[in-house]
Every structure is written in structure tokens, then in C-alpha cells.
Amino acid sequence: MIALIFTFITMVAVIYRWRYRILNTVLAISVLRKIAVNLSMNMPAIRSKILPNLFGPKIN
């Protein structure tokens, strides 16, 4: 049981340390990237933060 807990904590630590590398690798696959964009655009909180920045007024 202790070995299982230790293994789980180690896996979480490795994933946390390499989270951006893992995310970039997963999002390099176009199908997974499209699914991620569709899921994130269906969440109102994320959509309300991203879309105004993309299509807002340009400041020079």
C-alpha cells in the first residue's frame, strides 16, 4: 500500500514538473487540439475571457 501511494505521488510530481511539455505534445495532434478548443469554447468563463482579447480594439 505504501509503495502504491509513493508511486502515485511520484507520478503526480513528474506530471506537474513536465506539465507544459506534456501539454505541447498532446496539443501537437490536430484532432486532440480541435477537441480541446471545442471543449474550452463551450465553457462560458473561458470564452468570456479569451474572445474579448482576440477581437477587442487594437491599441498602438
Side-chain angles (χ1 to χ4, degrees):
M1 185 67 178
I2 292 174
L4 183 64
I5 293 171
F6 180 73
T7 303
F8 179 74
I9 291 172
T10 303
M11 286 175 45
V12 169
V14 167
I15 290 171
Y16 181 76
R17 182 174 177 158
W18 293 341
R19 64 190 180 271
Y20 296 115
R21 184 178 295 174
I22 293 168
L23 188 62
N24 285 336
T25 303
V26 169
L27 292 178
I29 302 169
S30 64
V31 173
L32 295 179
R33 185 173 53 246
K34 288 178 185 179
I35 292 171
V37 169
N38 282 333
L39 289 175
S40 63
M41 287 297 117
N42 286 330
M43 296 178 189
I46 295 175
R47 186 175 55 229
S48 67
K49 290 180 182 179
I50 292 176
L51 289 180
N53 291 333
L54 291 175
F55 301 113
K58 304 229 185 233
I59 300 172
N60 291 330

